[in-house]
Amino acid sequence: MTVPTVQGIEVIDFHLHFRIEHDPATRDLSGGQFTCSDHDEEAQRRRGELVAAQSARWRRAWDFPDPQPSGERTWQEEADLWLGELDRYGIAHATFVTGCGDDRVAELVARNPQRFSGMANLRDLTEPGAAERLRRSITELGLRGLKLFAPLLPHRIDDPAAEEVWRVAAEHGIPVLIHFGHCGSSGGIAHNAHIEPAWLEPVAKRFPGIPFVIPHFGVQHVQQVLFLAWACPNVHVDTSGSNQWVRWMPYKLTLEDLFRRCYETIGPDRIVFGSDSSWFPRGYCYRYLADQLRVCHEMGMPEADLAKVFGGNAARLLRLPRQGHS
């Protein structure tokens, strides 16, 4: 079998979301409807309108269609749509970091394990049984990593009560992908007590065998991520998403700035490509991949490093068998 490639690179996308839901445009990452602290229905309605308008402006700027409910489509049909997208754009392998629960992600992976892999999810690292649930997801379900949303956890990432979860992750050597910074689409969480990547330092130092990956270049906490990676050689970044958050920074920051700073400091072995593709009819966000490849080419990145960033590093972290080319 000929392995799909893009520009001769076996692209492994480290960061996609599998979603079957009624209205992805109006749900936050915790799965609940947008709410207001005063629980006033009129305030909720008004906030929903403002957020929807802001989201619509973003989609128009990027020329993206509006999200559509999956309707009567089954998860198997949704999985087949994703497989078609990978074939269409020449993506060798996709890792779904969320997907309606660990069992459903495992079913998705089993549908085509050569093209799909998945990560476990935990909403609370400190609750009883969390470590054993993770162990089951790895050993029985065959999932290859753990995805966490730090701003949505009920505790800080360095809470001592999470120790057993970290021990399981270290035992199995799985990558742990932790979203820090602004969480959700327009109208999401901008700040809370758990949102900063600096809190990861004591955990990463205590468990050097766990490869921690911070997506979206750390969002607004770029400086913290760079110093965290300096302090902890097991900390990586992923490149996923539109990275439109750079427009909200108080100083000029571009995608090239992000790549160049990470490449020159933490190096090519700890940068992992992801697209953050998630919903239809947008489908696979090839333009994110194209933009990132263009930036890396314009930087003069050697072919060997391009192969690491856009596939090799993900394969190593996820322990994927490389199929080679025929």
Side-chain angles (χ1 to χ4, degrees):
M1 183 185 76
T2 301
V3 177
T5 63
V6 178
Q7 300 181 8
I9 300 170
E10 188 177 331
V11 173
I12 297 174
D13 193 326
F14 193 74
H15 194 138
L16 294 87
H17 299 271
F18 185 78
R19 293 180 179 174
I20 292 284
E21 56 189 358
H22 295 297
D23 189 357
T26 60
R27 290 185 180 270
D28 64 18
L29 287 172
S30 65
Q33 296 292 335
F34 291 124
T35 58
C36 292
S37 59
D38 60 5
H39 302 287
D40 179 82
E41 291 185 6
E42 178 60 23
Q44 292 183 47
R45 183 192 65 77
R46 179 57 179 152
R47 182 176 187 277
E49 291 175 350
L50 293 171
V51 167
Q54 186 164 286
S55 296
R57 286 194 295 272
W58 172 76
R59 289 193 299 274
R60 182 178 182 184
W62 285 81
D63 194 28
F64 284 148
D66 290 339
Q68 294 178 355
S70 53
E72 300 302 317
R73 205 160 55 230
T74 66
W75 75 264
Q76 293 94 338
E77 291 169 333
E78 193 89 354
D80 290 343
L81 285 177
W82 279 117
L83 183 58
E85 291 290 280
L86 301 188
D87 289 340
R88 178 183 179 188
Y89 292 109
I91 308 302
H93 190 93
T95 301
F96 289 93
V97 301
T98 63
C100 308
D102 292 4
D103 288 277
R104 176 52 48 80
V105 173
E107 291 176 320
L108 168 65
V109 171
R111 195 163 180 83
N112 199 317
Q114 289 186 324
R115 306 296 296 282
F116 297 149
S117 57
M119 292 192 183
N121 281 250
L122 290 172
R123 293 192 177 189
D124 185 347
L125 304 179
T126 67
E127 67 180 354
E132 287 311 308
R133 284 198 298 277
L134 176 60
R135 189 186 304 278
R136 172 183 176 269
S137 293
I138 299 167
T139 60
E140 297 181 23
L141 300 182
L143 301 185
R144 295 178 179 269
L146 172 64
K147 171 64 187 287
L148 303 170
F149 291 95
L152 300 180
L153 294 175
H155 51 79
R156 248 173 42 183
I157 202 71
D158 60 347
D159 192 307
E163 189 84 0
E164 289 305 309
V165 169
W166 301 132
R167 290 187 184 279
V168 171
E171 175 188 345
H172 295 280
I174 60 168
V176 178
L177 180 69
I178 310 176
H179 180 112
F180 292 100
H182 183 274
C183 189
S185 57
S186 175
I189 299 170
H191 189 337
N192 65 23
H194 309 153
I195 206 166
E196 298 186 13
W199 301 125
L200 181 61
E201 182 175 349
V203 180
K205 286 182 172 177
R206 222 166 43 248
F207 294 95
I210 300 177
F212 291 98
V213 186
I214 300 178
H216 322 304
F217 296 98
V219 197
Q220 70 262 44
H221 300 291
V222 178
Q223 179 174 317
Q224 284 192 22
V225 169
L226 291 175
F227 276 97
L228 179 63
W230 170 79
C232 306
N234 53 328
V235 169
H236 306 61
V237 297
D238 100 7
T239 66
S240 59
S242 66
N243 290 300
Q244 61 152 330
W245 56 267
V246 297
R247 298 193 308 110
W248 299 84
M249 297 297 282
Y251 49 84
K252 184 177 181 181
L253 186 66
T254 67
L255 183 62
E256 180 178 353
D257 295 329
L258 292 169
F259 263 103
R260 188 176 295 279
R261 186 61 63 201
C262 289
Y263 184 67
E264 291 175 351
T265 54
I266 67 176
D269 294 309
R270 290 195 280 160
I271 304 172
V272 188
F273 164 71
S275 70
D276 206 20
S277 300
S278 58
W279 46 266
F280 288 96
R282 180 182 68 172
Y284 189 77
C285 295
Y286 182 80
R287 67 186 298 177
Y288 297 170
L289 170 59
D291 280 348
Q292 293 184 33
L293 279 167
R294 174 186 54 78
V295 164
C296 291
H297 280 300
E298 291 176 350
M299 285 171 50
M301 190 179 292
E303 293 294 328
D305 290 349
L306 285 168
K308 290 179 181 180
V309 170
F310 291 94
N313 293 336
R316 171 175 49 82
L317 293 174
L318 296 164
R319 301 183 181 183
L320 295 176
R322 301 304 296 274
Q323 300 176 44
H325 310 295
S326 61

